[in-house]
Amino acid sequence: MSHLSSSIALWRGEHVNFATLLALLEDQLDLFHQAKKPDYQMMLDIMFYMTHYPDVLHHPREDLAFARILELEATSRPIVDDLAEQHVRLKDFGGVLVRSLENIVDGSITPRDRVEVLGRAYIAEFRSHMRTEEEAILPLAAKLLSAADWAAIGVAIRHIDDPLFGAKGQERYASLRQQIAREARASQARRLSGVGR
Ligand SMILES: [Fe+2]
Ligand SMILES: [Fe+2]
């Protein structure tokens, strides 16, 4: 795979990972909504990751890619500005959710309904953000950015390994990784049993 298409594939792959986590988070909010017991520690692990990988690497790397796209295609300004603003908002929003979940896990008194409202709003905003990127910006990036542009972005950004999905996963995400693997097996089993009918 060329450097160029691998950059786009990596980008899309990260969105798939984030979508997996948002679905897990949504399942937990559904449990809460049904007055069942959600796994607050898992929700915190998910949001901790969202504020320590997407906010720290994925979005800053996009900001650089968007800036280069804007240099090459001036008409992309409104969408690039919107997406950059959403990065700032998602980061703030994610921080608020982490603090609320930390309070719950630590046993402080925190209105739990607020976590559901915030969590659902975060999920909706993150999904719509990724949808806009996939529909409007990834095709432009694929068309406009050269291998040299991607190399320059790679140099400009401080690289960190993905602490959850990366090869050297961090210990703090061990149980979240197991949960993701369990979900993947369960959904594969559902697909297989669907085919058998
Ligand atoms: Fe983004
Ligand atoms: Fe993105």
Side-chain angles (χ1 to χ4, degrees):
M1 204 188 278
S2 74
H3 186 57
L4 198 58
S5 56
S6 72
S7 297
I8 301 280
L10 177 83
W11 194 346
R12 274 189 212 285
E14 291 195 334
H15 282 186
V16 171
N17 290 343
F18 305 156
T20 299
L21 294 176
L22 294 174
L24 274 179
L25 184 62
E26 192 170 45
D27 288 346
Q28 296 303 312
L29 295 175
D30 288 345
L31 286 177
F32 172 83
H33 195 77
Q34 296 153 19
K36 292 179 189 151
K37 219 173 139 11
D39 184 340
Y40 288 109
Q41 181 62 53
M42 183 170 92
M43 290 164 75
L44 175 57
D45 290 343
I46 291 172
M47 285 313 304
F48 195 84
Y49 171 79
M50 295 310 269
T51 54
H52 285 81
Y53 188 73
D55 286 339
V56 174
L57 187 82
H58 182 91
H59 291 159
R61 190 175 51 211
E62 287 177 340
D63 288 334
L64 293 178
F66 298 169
R68 183 62 184 138
I69 289 168
L70 186 56
E71 282 176 0
L72 299 167
E73 179 58 71
T75 59
S76 67
R77 158 117 15 226
I79 184 108
V80 162
D81 284 352
D82 273 359
L83 290 169
E85 216 172 275
Q86 288 166 18
H87 286 166
V88 175
R89 224 181 23 243
L90 283 168
K91 185 176 182 169
D92 291 345
F93 208 166
V96 172
L97 259 168
V98 165
R99 282 187 294 279
S100 297
L101 287 162
E102 272 170 352
N103 284 339
I104 293 176
V105 169
D106 292 346
S108 315
I109 297 171
T110 299
R112 300 192 173 193
D113 299 8
R114 192 171 121 84
V115 167
E116 187 186 357
V117 173
L118 285 174
R120 292 205 192 274
Y122 181 86
I123 291 167
E125 177 147 0
F126 208 107
R127 282 178 178 157
S128 113
H129 176 75
M130 290 198 292
R131 206 176 310 122
T132 308
E133 287 180 341
E134 309 252 338
E135 285 167 8
I137 281 286
L138 264 81
L140 267 185
K143 191 174 85 178
L144 297 174
L145 298 187
S146 65
D149 290 325
W150 282 113
I153 291 167
V155 169
I157 204 92
R158 192 178 67 90
H159 182 79
I160 55 164
D161 286 319
D162 186 324
L164 172 59
F165 294 98
K168 289 179 281 181
Q170 277 176 15
E171 182 56 30
R172 92 159 267 148
Y173 298 111
S175 86
L176 181 54
R177 258 193 303 277
Q178 284 168 8
Q179 186 62 32
I180 292 165
R182 261 198 301 276
E183 274 301 311
R185 280 195 300 273
S187 82
Q188 194 184 19
R190 281 195 295 274
R191 267 202 309 279
L192 288 176
S193 70
V195 169
R197 253 172 239 146

